[in-house]
Amino acid sequence: MAAVHHPDNGIDHEHEHHGPPSGIMRWLTTTNHKDIGTLYLWFSFAMFLTGGVMALTIRSELFQPGLQIVEPEFFNQLTTLHGLVMVFGAIMPAFVGFANWQIPMMIGAPDMAFARMNNWSFWLLPPAALLLISSFFVPGGAAAGGWTLYPPLSVQMGMGMDMTIFAVHILGASSIMGSINIVTTILNMRAPGMTMMKMPLFVWTWLITAYLLLAVMPVLAGAVTMLLTDRQFGTNFFNAAGGGDPVMFQHIFWFFGHPEVYIMILPAFGIVSQVIPTFARKKLFGYSSMVYATASIAILSFVVWAHHMFTVGMPVTAQLFFMYATMLIAIPTGVKVFNWTATMWRGSMTFEAPMLFSIGFIFLFTIGGFSGIVLAIVPVDIVLQETYYVIAHFHYVLVSGSLFGLFAGTYYWLPKWTGNMYDEGLAKTHFWCSMIFFNITFFVQHFLGLAGMPRRVPDYALQFADFNMISTIGAFGFGFSQLIFLYCIIKCIRGGQKATDEVWEGADTLEFTDLPSPAPYHSFETAPKVK
């Protein structure tokens, strides 16, 4: 469309309002949902690499028995910060980045509901991350009580723990603001004709996730605030020496922590539910059952928190309740896996990178789900608690779950974001390397756990040596595979074969049917018609 020049002042009105300002100020002051989504995605990738370096340091130390590379204190700081950085710095902001980019485009909205708050919720993240990582350099070093920050350790540590508590507060505030924004946008800004049950599943999963975040983030804030007052102001919430109860912290923490697990996986369910129908060239099987299953998972996630605590000495009645409640969550999750499989059944499937990552996701996430059911059985969990079996379980859910979902979504929408097709060969190489090295890293950890290797220890008995060596080799392979991903992204941004507007034949959501590639700076000036 040609720019309109008005004779009165010679100003190009059309472009005055429609383009971004240039330079650093564009990114500092932007209220555009696409710019903010991009900031979230790059930030989360930087944090992913940071957490990855910590993980590789941990695995290097565990390559052989004995103390090789780092001091035990520093080892514990690494395990703690690796968890915090990956959860709050990599996985969650990445999904919020997807929400920012995709939700307005998928529901036909011009932007997010609260554009300035959107900017603010992103710019809280870099200082929080800085606070967290710089805690390595203060006297006493970083927090070393595990990412769950259990007292009594967390009551006794140096100032690194206070920095961690403040960082968690700031990250939580960012999440709460992002969630308010997402809920408001989805409920109030859908295009005419887009009823709730016509929304793409990615939008549904994010709506439910945002409600979960609003419910549990204040609980985490309460827990770490009580920890802070125990440390600095003489209260005794969790300090047993003063009559406090360290187990109470675990209850409060996991009341946040278990819904948090689903906060990190539901958006991945949403992405996979967009990708699979596109490449199976079929409608998603059982749309409404998927929506209800997502809601059921969210509701049930509030009544299973103490399955992380079977060994704290809870009464048998409570153990039974939490065991059965945990088993129950497997049902709506199973519904999802069944529906994805049924969608692929007899579809005319092709196997581009997004589809490969989605199929990898279903396969490996299901293994992670099964090992979760194993750990839900109280007598089994009592034996396996705090062993490498637990580590294997949650990495199957969080890496081959959340992370593979993120990779699938990136390859799926990247052509729409950049206007260029990514290099399919590179993307498939990234998939196969990730898939193979991931399993080499974490599958053997099930055996380590079954044999009794405890987690969070820098040294171990000789009988665990072989599997640890295999695991470390896999971890380095997996880490370097992610550099292929980075190269693939940069190559795509800088050029390549031009993407069509539809990008994928069979993609039926608004961003593919009603917008050009690359998506314009302002998506919908007027609301699209939803059929």
Side-chain angles (χ1 to χ4, degrees):
M1 194 174 171
V4 185
H5 287 282
H6 288 277
D8 53 352
N9 51 13
I11 293 173
D12 178 341
H13 282 282
E14 176 121 349
H15 288 124
E16 183 187 15
H17 298 299
H18 285 55
S22 54
I24 186 97
M25 288 314 282
R26 166 179 175 180
W27 301 104
L28 287 173
T29 61
T30 182
T31 54
N32 180 283
H33 72 97
K34 299 186 180 72
D35 281 356
I36 293 170
T38 305
L39 286 168
Y40 267 110
L41 290 169
W42 279 114
F43 170 81
S44 67
F45 193 71
M47 287 286 99
F48 174 56
L49 295 181
T50 309
V53 169
M54 294 178 197
L56 292 182
T57 315
I58 292 167
R59 286 299 341 156
S60 306
E61 177 56 66
L62 293 170
F63 185 63
Q64 288 180 313
L67 295 173
Q68 264 79 234
I69 297 172
V70 295
E71 294 295 317
E73 295 80 13
F74 185 66
F75 183 89
N76 286 350
Q77 293 169 26
L78 282 173
T79 52
T80 303
L81 273 260
H82 165 71
L84 288 168
V85 162
M86 287 306 203
V87 169
F88 295 108
I91 299 289
M92 287 172 70
F95 281 128
V96 180
F98 273 96
N100 263 298
W101 253 103
Q102 290 308 129
I103 288 172
M105 295 204 293
M106 293 175 109
I107 63 174
D111 206 305
M112 296 294 273
F114 304 116
R116 284 194 174 86
M117 185 165 87
N118 204 10
N119 172 292
W120 177 224
S121 64
F122 171 76
W123 282 109
L124 284 175
L125 295 180
L130 212 60
L131 199 58
L132 198 56
I133 290 162
S134 58
S135 67
F136 275 121
F137 305 105
V138 298
W147 81 275
T148 51
L149 309 177
Y150 280 0
L153 279 177
S154 51
V155 179
Q156 297 159 356
M157 280 169 182
M159 63 188 282
M161 178 57 76
D162 297 309
M163 294 168 78
T164 301
I165 289 171
F166 285 124
V168 166
H169 263 300
I170 299 169
L171 292 161
S174 165
S175 287
I176 288 171
M177 290 198 293
S179 304
I180 292 170
N181 215 340
I182 287 166
V183 169
T184 313
T185 305
I186 295 172
L187 294 184
N188 295 324
M189 297 179 68
R190 303 192 303 280
M194 180 165 289
T195 58
M196 294 291 274
M197 293 310 274
K198 280 188 188 164
M199 296 194 313
L201 255 166
F202 178 70
V203 179
W204 257 117
T205 51
W206 245 116
L207 179 64
I208 291 166
T209 302
Y211 274 119
L212 277 180
L213 275 164
L214 290 171
V216 302
M217 272 302 171
V219 178
L220 176 67
V224 295
T225 305
M226 289 154 89
L227 205 53
L228 189 70
T229 59
D230 272 13
R231 291 171 51 80
Q232 303 298 345
F233 303 113
T235 58
N236 286 302
F237 290 114
F238 310 129
N239 191 357
D245 182 3
V247 175
M248 180 169 75
F249 177 88
Q250 298 190 23
H251 278 289
I252 302 170
F253 178 87
W254 283 115
F255 189 79
F256 145 81
H258 203 80
E260 166 66 22
V261 174
Y262 294 99
I263 286 164
M264 291 189 286
I265 197 68
L266 291 180
F269 287 171
I271 291 172
V272 169
S273 304
Q274 300 302 136
V275 172
I276 284 180
T278 300
F279 294 98
R281 316 276 183 305
K282 271 175 72 186
K283 277 215 123 18
L284 181 73
F285 181 89
Y287 172 91
S288 52
S289 65
M290 290 293 253
V291 173
Y292 296 133
T294 309
S296 313
I297 289 172
I299 293 160
L300 285 170
S301 73
F302 284 103
V303 293
V304 298
W305 77 88
H307 68 206
H308 299 265
M309 305 163 49
F310 283 148
T311 54
V312 300
M314 63 170 76
V316 172
T317 332
Q319 289 183 331
L320 280 173
F321 169 80
F322 285 109
M323 174 162 89
Y324 293 136
T326 306
M327 299 267 180
L328 209 57
I329 273 199
I331 297 168
T333 315
V335 168
K336 289 182 163 300
V337 173
F338 174 81
N339 284 7
W340 290 322
T341 314
T343 306
M344 292 189 283
W345 177 252
R346 304 189 71 174
S348 30
M349 294 208 291
T350 51
F351 298 97
E352 285 86 351
M355 187 62 162
L356 287 175
F357 272 108
S358 298
I359 294 171
F361 166 94
I362 295 173
F363 183 64
L364 297 178
F365 175 78
T366 304
I367 293 176
F370 278 131
S371 60
I373 293 174
V374 171
L375 290 168
I377 304 164
V378 177
V380 177
D381 183 82
I382 287 171
V383 176
L384 294 176
Q385 179 94 356
E386 291 294 326
T387 67
Y388 262 71
Y389 192 91
V390 179
I391 292 190
H393 156 68
F394 70 70
H395 281 86
Y396 264 82
V397 179
L398 280 177
V399 181
S400 62
S402 304
L403 190 64
F404 275 28
L406 286 163
F407 288 151
T410 305
Y411 288 125
Y412 184 60
W413 283 305
L414 196 63
K416 180 52 74 177
W417 299 343
T418 61
N420 305 319
M421 291 306 288
Y422 59 86
D423 183 325
E424 191 66 60
L426 270 177
K428 284 183 173 164
T429 309
H430 172 227
F431 168 73
W432 285 111
C433 289
S434 295
M435 184 81 170
I436 291 162
F437 285 121
F438 169 78
N439 283 296
I440 292 173
T441 308
F442 293 109
F443 198 76
V444 295
Q445 293 185 5
H446 291 102
F447 306 137
L448 283 169
L450 289 166
M453 165 138 176
R455 62 197 263 199
R456 296 178 185 160
V457 290
D459 187 12
Y460 52 86
L462 206 57
Q463 72 258 32
F464 303 130
D466 293 351
F467 281 145
N468 267 301
M469 184 176 280
I470 292 169
S471 191
T472 298
I473 293 167
F476 273 89
F478 186 78
F480 288 117
S481 307
Q482 306 324 309
L483 299 176
I484 305 173
F485 177 61
L486 179 62
Y487 176 68
C488 192
I489 302 286
I490 292 170
K491 186 175 170 192
C492 177
I493 292 169
R494 297 182 65 166
Q497 182 194 340
K498 289 284 167 263
T500 59
D501 289 354
E502 195 187 12
V503 185
W504 310 111
E505 167 208 348
D508 60 352
T509 43
L510 286 176
E511 77 274 28
F512 291 116
T513 56
D514 288 41
L515 289 173
S517 301
Y521 194 66
H522 293 290
S523 315
F524 295 106
E525 308 274 321
T526 51
K529 296 279 177 286
V530 177
K531 316 217 178 3

